[in-house]
Amino acid sequence: MMKVGELAVKKGLITQQQLQLALQEGRTSGEIIGKVLVKLGFLTSEQLLETLAEQMGLPFYKTLKSFVISPDVVRMVPARFVWHYKFMPLSLSGRTITIAVSDPLAVWMAEDLKLNLGFDVDRVLTTEKEILDSIRQHYGVGSETVEEILARPNAPVAEQVREKAAAIEGHASSEQDASVIKLVNQILTEAVLARATDIHIEIFRDRAVVRQRIDGILYEMRMSDQIRQLYGAVVSRIKILSSLNVVEKRLPQDGRAIIKVKNDPVDLRISIVPSIYGENVVIRILPINLLYSLDYLGFAPHDLATLNDLMLKPHGIIFLTGPTGSGKTTTLYACLSQLNKQQVKIITIEDPVEYELPGIMQIQVRPEIGLTFASSLRSILRHDPDVMMVGEVRDHETAELAIRTALTGHLIFSTLHTNDAPSGAPRLMDIGLEPYLVASSVNAFIAQRLVRVICPDCKEEVRDPGPLPESLAGVKIFRGRGCEKCQSVGYKGRTAIYELLPVRDEIQELIIRKASAGQIRQKAQEMGLTTLHAAGIEKIRQGVTTWQEVMRVTEFDGH
């Protein structure tokens, strides 16, 4: 049998000189030649495996995605086996099971499997990453932990009995508690590494579901079906993690926790509400070290220049509008970060405080004790601020206080729930503000949405995009084909599209006359307003996103 190094030379993967260097290094370190070749960078792990497969007469597969793996095969092999030995069962023929492994020298694995499961074993080679991805897909996150817990006598009952004790002690009170801790950690880690912004843990009549929101879209996280038996223990562990009352199951609770994933701190905001089948949990994932810069948010150059000019004004209000989850808070924080200088006093009033901004005084409202937006706004004026952020204007009292504060020489940022920028002024008047106050105090209304970005790793031109508006005639249209980097969805990351409406003299006159949102929009477009839809079209022209994505988040205006 030809040796690995010689075979690699024969295949043209390395030179004879590189082989001699590797052999010399191997004699010094005592490592086998294959590992030395990879360590020195002469071979990739995939090239080494392919060479070993040829040497040992085993099939090699770059990917396992071409295999149709039967659920029956998955059920035959326990999750704790596949995670412990890091192999993936592919098919079963009679008493012979075919498995994918990444270490062809671990022949003892086949003997252990034959002893424990009673199958003869055929092996194919692939990379460890392919195996782990396939295990997660077919067995689910934390499946081996769930099996381990349920394999113990009366495990679910034991967990429920220990819930209160674990909450009081604040740490693992038993081996089973430790396993639940591990399971929750696996769920959190998987979501963070997948770039999720939210985790939804939900209980229904016949099953429990874990979903994660990635780039604004909810995807179900593959979990063991047996997790429903541990649902109460999982919720209790999350309560302990966020210092909530484990015993209280009838009322909503909100908490916060900080964890580390690969040594990076991650801020979690936990909300728990009771439902008819148990408590449902939503965990919002907020990275602590986040860069806030207007340059990277998605503003068109002319809109960014206009916004920078508006922020130089010594007083007035800038309103961000849009639905929940449209990125308003991130844009506000980017504005505050740009203004955050030693000579500027900035105070925020938020519900909740989502990110900590160094050098800025941030206040968390607590309506249950009377600390509301309005009461906080009255108090902070005595702290001599230059710039303020009011998390949301949602009632007449807060709106009027914010307006009058702006008129007395302060620059204020806030959010408003409207669908577009021209609807901002009518919304404030619906709340009960006088038109002349709105016209004289508001500097601008900015509407925004988030669109998904085409994955750069699988981006390709679309030859036949189908019917498109006239504004995209002759434009090259791109899409994401779907790849490992984007989890086969074709998108990776998000960018914002904006509709920036400065309140200039012509718009002020319309507001004073109580004009409708439609009339304000018509005048604004005559003055050069770029609508949300038009901003989305420009992102398509730039090859950033797709027509389907723009249509998902904006209203087609016929252009």
Side-chain angles (χ1 to χ4, degrees):
M1 180 187 295
M2 190 176 290
K3 295 181 179 179
V4 171
E6 296 170 351
L7 189 56
V9 173
K10 181 182 177 183
K11 289 166 66 68
L13 299 174
I14 61 172
T15 65
Q16 189 66 42
Q17 185 181 3
Q18 288 174 325
L19 175 58
Q20 293 305 317
L21 288 172
L23 288 170
Q24 185 178 347
E25 173 68 21
R27 283 191 291 268
T28 304
S29 65
E31 293 179 297
I32 60 175
I33 187 65
K35 288 186 177 179
V36 175
L37 288 168
V38 172
K39 186 174 76 172
L40 293 176
F42 297 156
L43 284 180
T44 65
S45 297
E46 186 176 301
Q47 288 172 329
L48 174 62
L49 277 177
E50 194 168 359
T51 305
L52 285 169
E54 185 173 335
Q55 182 200 36
M56 303 179 72
L58 296 174
F60 175 78
Y61 295 93
K62 289 186 177 181
T63 179
L64 296 180
K65 292 181 174 59
S66 57
F67 279 92
V68 179
I69 302 173
S70 167
D72 294 333
V73 178
V74 173
R75 280 194 291 268
M76 292 290 289
V77 185
R80 61 183 183 274
F81 271 74
V82 298
W83 280 108
H84 177 72
Y85 291 113
K86 289 188 172 54
F87 73 91
M88 182 65 205
L90 301 178
S91 62
L92 184 65
S93 177
R95 299 304 302 168
T96 301
I97 189 168
T98 301
I99 65 171
V101 299
S102 62
D103 183 0
L105 302 179
V107 291
W108 47 267
M109 179 198 301
E111 296 301 321
D112 283 1
L113 292 177
K114 183 174 182 179
L115 179 65
N116 286 281
L117 301 178
F119 293 123
D120 293 323
V121 177
D122 281 345
R123 297 179 301 161
V124 303
L125 288 187
T126 190
T127 62
E128 184 174 338
K129 181 182 181 302
E130 280 295 316
I131 290 171
L132 294 179
D133 287 347
S134 189
I135 292 174
R136 289 191 189 95
Q137 177 186 349
H138 293 281
Y139 282 89
V141 178
S143 52
E144 81 288 6
T145 308
V146 173
E147 278 191 7
E148 180 186 344
I149 297 169
L150 294 178
R152 298 170 188 150
N154 302 319
V157 176
E159 290 290 351
Q160 293 164 12
V161 169
R162 291 188 179 93
E163 282 177 9
K164 188 173 181 180
I168 295 170
E169 294 173 19
H171 61 270
S173 60
S174 71
E175 188 181 355
Q176 290 175 351
D177 291 324
S179 294
V180 173
I181 292 171
K182 179 183 176 183
L183 176 60
V184 172
N185 288 345
Q186 287 172 320
I187 293 171
L188 296 176
T189 300
E190 181 77 12
V192 171
L193 296 180
R195 302 180 298 105
T197 55
D198 302 88
I199 307 170
H200 295 244
I201 304 174
E202 302 157 313
I203 184 77
F204 301 102
R205 179 192 295 273
D206 56 351
R207 66 187 186 122
V209 177
V210 180
R211 296 187 289 173
Q212 54 187 351
R213 189 179 296 278
I214 302 173
D215 294 335
I217 306 296
L218 275 174
Y219 300 94
E220 186 167 340
M221 188 185 290
R222 180 75 172 88
M223 301 290 299
S224 167
D225 294 337
Q226 295 174 308
I227 195 173
R228 194 185 193 288
Q229 299 179 49
L230 299 173
Y231 189 84
V234 169
V235 173
S236 294
R237 171 56 192 163
I238 293 170
K239 286 182 178 179
I240 294 167
L241 191 65
S242 50
S243 302
L244 297 178
N245 186 344
V246 178
V247 179
E248 179 56 71
K249 301 178 185 294
R250 302 164 301 169
L251 298 173
Q253 296 189 68
D254 295 311
R256 177 180 179 180
I258 294 179
I259 63 171
K260 279 193 173 183
V261 175
K262 291 194 172 179
N263 293 322
D264 291 327
V266 178
D267 196 354
L268 305 179
R269 302 300 167 86
I270 291 96
S271 176
I272 300 178
V273 296
S275 71
I276 57 174
Y277 297 113
E279 295 174 289
N280 284 357
V281 182
V282 172
I283 303 173
R284 189 164 192 194
I285 302 170
L286 305 172
I288 291 178
N289 301 318
L290 196 62
L291 176 65
Y292 301 104
S293 172
L294 290 171
D295 296 329
Y296 298 104
L297 292 185
F299 278 101
H302 64 279
D303 282 340
L304 184 58
T306 301
L307 179 57
N308 284 327
D309 290 340
L310 290 168
M311 289 195 297
L312 292 176
K313 291 190 175 185
H315 56 80
I317 300 182
I318 296 175
F319 277 108
L320 266 291
T321 77
T324 301
S326 60
K328 300 188 296 298
T329 301
T330 301
T331 301
L332 285 175
Y333 280 9
C335 292
L336 295 181
S337 295
Q338 185 162 313
L339 295 170
N340 189 14
K341 298 177 176 60
Q342 187 175 357
Q343 62 270 31
V344 179
K345 175 67 175 281
I346 302 176
I347 302 178
T348 73
I349 311 167
E350 306 174 60
D351 183 20
V353 174
E354 294 193 7
Y355 302 98
E356 294 181 14
L357 297 174
I360 293 177
M361 177 178 159
Q362 295 174 270
I363 299 171
Q364 165 80 53
V365 303
R366 297 181 62 189
E368 68 274 11
I369 61 171
L371 185 63
T372 62
F373 283 114
S375 63
S376 300
L377 195 50
R378 288 193 193 92
S379 299
I380 65 175
L381 289 174
R382 303 187 188 98
H383 283 252
D384 188 29
D386 299 296
V387 178
M388 288 180 282
M389 184 184 94
V390 181
E392 183 183 351
V393 168
R394 60 178 70 156
D395 54 56
H396 177 267
E397 184 182 16
T398 305
E400 187 168 34
L401 276 170
I403 292 285
R404 296 193 183 279
T405 301
L407 291 173
T408 57
H410 299 85
L411 181 62
I412 296 179
F413 294 86
S414 189
T415 67
L416 197 63
H417 281 294
T418 65
N419 288 328
D420 54 25
S423 300
R427 170 64 179 152
L428 290 173
M429 288 185 279
D430 287 342
I431 290 175
L433 294 183
E434 292 296 332
Y436 75 91
L437 287 176
V438 177
S440 58
S441 64
V442 179
N443 293 344
F445 294 100
I446 306 171
Q448 74 175 83
R449 298 290 190 277
L450 294 175
V451 294
R452 290 182 291 172
V453 174
I454 297 171
C455 174
D457 295 291
C458 59
K459 185 176 179 180
E460 64 181 14
E461 186 178 349
V462 181
R463 297 299 179 187
D464 183 18
L468 294 172
E470 292 181 9
S471 53
L472 288 175
V475 175
K476 283 186 177 181
I477 304 298
F478 294 90
R479 70 172 183 183
R481 182 178 61 256
C483 65
E484 291 180 6
K485 300 289 182 64
C486 63
Q487 298 178 321
S488 301
V489 298
Y491 298 97
K492 187 177 181 183
R494 290 187 290 178
T495 188
I497 54 175
Y498 292 91
E499 184 176 83
L500 174 56
L501 174 60
V503 181
R504 308 198 193 282
D505 293 343
E506 299 91 336
I507 302 299
Q508 286 179 332
E509 291 176 8
L510 289 174
I511 293 173
I512 290 172
R513 298 207 311 260
K514 296 186 177 181
S516 67
Q519 292 170 315
I520 294 174
R521 170 174 289 280
Q522 183 177 351
K523 172 59 71 174
Q525 287 183 275
E526 291 172 6
M527 296 168 61
L529 172 73
T530 300
T531 65
L532 283 169
H533 189 80
I537 292 292
E538 184 58 33
K539 295 290 184 187
I540 298 172
R541 288 176 172 273
Q542 295 169 6
V544 173
T545 191
T546 64
W547 167 248
Q548 291 79 7
E549 186 64 9
V550 171
M551 287 297 293
R552 184 178 69 85
V553 300
T554 69
E555 184 177 346
F556 182 43
D557 56 17
H559 298 287

